[in-house]
Amino acid sequence: MSTRYPFTAVVGMDDLRLALLLNAVSPSVGGVLVRGEKGTAKSTAVRALAELLPEVAVVAGCRFSCDPASPDPGCPDGPHGDGGADARPARMVELPVGASEDRLVGSLDIEKALADGVKAFEPGLLAAAHRGILYVDEVNLLSDHLIDHLLDAAAMGASHVEREGVSVRHAARFLLVGTMNPEEGELRPQLLDRFGLTVEVAASRVPEERVEVVRRRLAFEDDPAGFAERWAGEEAALRERIVAARELLPKVALGDAVLLQIAATCAAFEVDGMRADIVMARTATALAAWAGREGVTSEDVRQAALLALPHRRRRNPFDAPGMDEDKLDETLERFKGEEPEDDPDPDQGPDGPGDGGPGGGGVPPQGGEGPAPETDGVPEEAPAQAPEHTPEHAPASRGTGGERAAVKAAEPFRTKMLSVPGLGDGAAGRRSRARTEHGRTTGATRPRGALTKLHLSATVRAAAPHQRARGRSGAGLVVRRDDLRQAVREGREGNLVLFVVDASGSMAARKRMGAVKGAVLSLLLDAYQRRDKVGLITFRGRAAELALPPTSSVDAAAARLEELPTGGRTPLSAGLLRAHDVLRVERLRDPSRRPLLVVVTDGRATGGGPDPVGLAARAARLHAADGTASVVVDCEAGPVRLGLAGDLARHLGGTAVTLDELRADAIAGLVREAQVNRSVRRAA
């Protein structure tokens, strides 16, 4: 077994260590979501936590880790008699992003179930994580169908496996810990709310701390066992403190005054639902137990709010998580009651000896001979800071014909459905029709590899003609492997939506560009909801720029869009050619993900060569030859319209919609009007 990096040797990151330790003290807090840039020891700290958890008593021989004191009456390995008990270390189970559904929830042998009536169930990762930690690295990249199972298990404390009428249920209560890099996309709101606490981590910009990180990491890699031995004392002390806090937890009093502060704080920050109030109460109680107190203080409530509320205040994926601490302090002061009379033992408090910062973590003082904290590898150097400027004072670029400052986007709206025609095989999503593992059944086929979705009627039809030859004598159906049929299902896929946005002088009128940005922002919101990848190309002046390479982070695209200045000529052909190059590369990287090209322009072309209109037409026909699905959002305004965007759409082999037609309510209105007119004609 490989040696893990010691938890107490992690340098800095007080909030992360505190959040993990609070969940170790009180698993009912609900887990931790760790957000941060790559190379910041997120995974190192999470994996090290498992070594600190107390051992777990389990029923001997039970694959589902039933508690001997209260075994699960519905356990698939039950009923449990007096088979004895075993003690084992708490598990940390890792869920890979690309795991299959059967790997997560478990697999059922359908052949045995049909032929013998036996529930032959192989437990999955949810069963292995019961009464332990379920860790998901890059949780924001997890497939929707896996997220659905996680949500169900987290809500119900159990996992259900259904296969054509055969059902298995087992307990699945675990500490959910996820890490993510926000640059790679945001998390679904439903799963985001299931994490009790969230913390933001970043590499230290203090050279001395970074030196200590590298020193400790190199020492660990040179001699993992020896390095761990040097920190064994600190690890043991922290483990004992967790046990003591767990024993104290039931004695902690949560008074009415503290509950009022919690409720007032959640109401002041307009947090949806009641889960935030409950999580804050549990977190504040765990903080008191961790500090060795039997009473919860206002400071506990404040710390709980900073950990439990930031990710619950987001209204859309473009909102950055965070808290107004001044507003928090004002709310707590306004609803402040009497503090508990008992003073904490200064040696046991969050800032007592052996703690590395607020909330402790059992980290020894920095410096001296003792080891220090670290990351998964050598931290990255701080990026060079670009000169700051506001959009209102954006510098003008040479040769752009008078660049204008960035314009604020108009309010986003719900857009009409844009999709790629045909039937794809891409990653599961919510945009275009595709053959998927989930959705409505459209047919059956012989399975390639392991059977995942049984088509029951097709299997029975395949087995029926052979029953006499197979010597069937009883009521059971004699099924062979060759009889099994895989269900063919049709659902929805996510696409690569590549935006090509005209930022030239013809679009530079402030009201007009604000409307254009609002439309693109609306389409980005739609792409987030439909699980698409997005990319952004802008063109103005003399060239086109890939403002954002294809990514799952739609909020990054929104940030680039917000900063986009306008002005200069309209090199439409350059924008289309750049899009063609980007899509060519993406087809090699991910051939199953079909692209949707969205060109936002008024159709004018005034740069790029002696015949800019002809060049744009030829560039558009390249996309048509590749079969790329495309939509032109016509931004032309005014009483006289040239129809250039419509011409561009025809060259692309796509469709053109105006900004007004892009609105879903406008489309619905047109449909209603058409239905009314049809009814009037029929009545006449």
Side-chain angles (χ1 to χ4, degrees), residues 19-67:
L20 292 172
L21 289 169
L22 292 178
N23 275 273
V25 171
S26 176
S28 62
V29 166
V32 185
L33 175 64
V34 187
R35 297 164 49 92
E37 59 196 21
K38 54 187 178 292
T40 50
K42 301 186 296 293
S43 300
T44 296
V46 174
R47 293 189 176 99
L49 176 67
E51 299 294 327
L52 300 176
L53 298 181
E55 288 190 335
V56 177
V58 299
V59 173
C62 178
R63 296 176 298 166
F64 301 87
S65 303
C66 280
D67 187 348

Side-chain angles (χ1 to χ4, degrees), residues 285-336:
T285 304
L287 279 163
W290 179 246
R293 290 186 266 102
E294 294 186 5
V296 177
T297 66
S298 294
E299 185 57 33
D300 294 330
V301 176
R302 186 182 191 278
Q303 182 70 63
L306 293 174
L307 293 172
L309 295 189
H311 62 299
R312 292 186 165 89
R313 297 189 59 247
R314 305 187 74 191
R315 291 296 181 263
N316 65 63
F318 307 144
D319 292 338
M323 290 281 288
D324 183 343
E325 295 194 31
D326 290 337
K327 181 178 179 180
L328 174 61
D329 292 336
E330 291 173 5
T331 304
L332 293 175
E333 184 64 29
R334 179 181 175 188
F335 291 91
K336 186 176 182 180

Side-chain angles (χ1 to χ4, degrees), residues 177-493:
V177 180
T179 57
M180 60 175 283
N181 183 349
E183 294 178 357
E184 297 173 344
E186 282 298 337
L187 201 59
R188 264 177 64 175
Q190 296 94 327
L191 185 56
L192 188 64
D193 190 48
R194 286 294 174 186
F195 286 98
L197 311 178
T198 184
V199 292
E200 298 274 346
V201 296
S204 173
R205 299 299 185 244
V206 179
E208 291 78 11
E209 289 187 6
R210 296 173 73 95
V211 167
E212 187 61 31
V213 168
V214 176
R215 180 182 292 118
R216 294 188 185 188
R217 187 66 199 188
L218 293 177
F220 173 74
E221 292 178 351
D222 288 342
D223 183 10
F227 185 83
E229 181 63 27
R230 290 198 296 275
W231 289 90
E234 301 290 343
E235 294 281 289
L238 188 57
R239 193 176 296 110
E240 291 174 2
R241 186 173 174 184
I242 292 173
V243 173
R246 282 190 172 189
E247 294 174 352
L248 180 61
L249 187 65
K251 303 176 184 178
V252 176
L254 192 66
D256 290 342
V258 171
L259 283 173
L260 181 60
Q261 280 190 316
I262 291 173
T265 301
C266 292
F269 285 95
E270 300 179 353
V271 176
D272 293 336
M274 295 298 298
R275 183 173 285 117
D277 303 61
I278 297 171
V279 171
M280 274 189 64
R282 289 171 174 166
T283 305
T285 304
L287 279 163
W290 179 246
R293 290 186 266 102
E294 294 186 5
V296 177
T297 66
S298 294
E299 185 57 33
D300 294 330
V301 176
R302 186 182 191 278
Q303 182 70 63
L306 293 174
L307 293 172
L309 295 189
H311 62 299
R312 292 186 165 89
R313 297 189 59 247
R314 305 187 74 191
R315 291 296 181 263
N316 65 63
F318 307 144
D319 292 338
M323 290 281 288
D324 183 343
E325 295 194 31
D326 290 337
K327 181 178 179 180
L328 174 61
D329 292 336
E330 291 173 5
T331 304
L332 293 175
E333 184 64 29
R334 179 181 175 188
F335 291 91
K336 186 176 182 180
E338 295 184 1
E339 296 286 349
E341 294 181 359
D342 55 322
D343 293 327
D345 184 344
D347 292 336
Q348 298 297 324
D351 297 310
D355 293 332
V363 179
Q366 305 302 308
E369 296 182 2
E374 100 85 32
T375 80
D376 281 332
V378 179
E380 300 180 352
E381 296 190 11
Q385 298 296 317
E388 296 184 358
H389 63 271
T390 61
E392 290 75 17
H393 298 87
S397 300
R398 295 180 181 178
T400 61
E403 181 180 290
R404 304 190 185 185
V407 178
K408 184 176 178 59
E411 194 68 22
F413 52 83
R414 190 165 63 91
T415 66
K416 66 173 291 187
M417 175 66 169
L418 304 177
S419 62
V420 178
L423 194 64
D425 293 288
R430 298 182 179 180
R431 184 173 297 279
S432 305
R433 294 174 54 223
R435 288 176 288 267
T436 62
E437 291 187 1
H438 304 270
R440 63 186 182 91
T441 301
T442 60
T445 185
R446 291 181 181 273
R448 296 178 180 177
L451 179 73
T452 56
K453 298 293 182 182
L454 177 74
H455 195 296
L456 183 59
S457 60
T459 299
V460 171
R461 287 196 301 271
H466 309 291
Q467 296 306 295
R468 179 175 296 180
R470 293 172 182 174
R472 173 182 170 183
S473 58
L477 187 69
V478 181
V479 180
R480 299 287 185 261
R481 179 71 184 175
D482 290 343
D483 301 329
L484 299 179
R485 294 295 182 267
Q486 176 86 18
V488 177
R489 299 191 174 188
E490 181 178 313
R492 295 280 175 178
E493 67 177 359

